[in-house]
Amino acid sequence: MTTDTQTEARKYVRLPLQRINFILMAVAGVMIIAGFLLMAGSPSSVTEFNPDIFSTRRIVVGPTIAFLGFLFMGAAIMWPAKKNNKGE
């Protein structure tokens, strides 16, 4: 194969993930981090009980946002790219 045909072949190669996929994956990553941050807090110790460990934010909201972030990450990876009719 000559260099001219190699460069022509490279022109038509489409990457599996496009820019929109990376943007959606970044949003999903932020959702996951936000979910874990919502679950964070001071723990109970041997000498002192912290009732905040049973708050709705820590046992419902945080895990739900993190779980939705993981689901959204899968959707972001599989998001279809737009068809480009210029070179195809």
Side-chain angles (χ1 to χ4, degrees), residues 47-82:
T47 59
E48 181 183 342
F49 176 72
N50 183 4
D52 191 41
I53 62 172
F54 298 113
S55 70
T56 304
R57 174 184 58 93
R58 290 176 85 174
I59 63 173
V60 176
V61 178
T64 302
I65 290 176
F67 180 69
L68 291 175
F70 283 114
L71 289 179
F72 191 65
M73 182 67 76
I77 292 171
M78 294 186 294
W79 191 266
K82 291 183 180 179

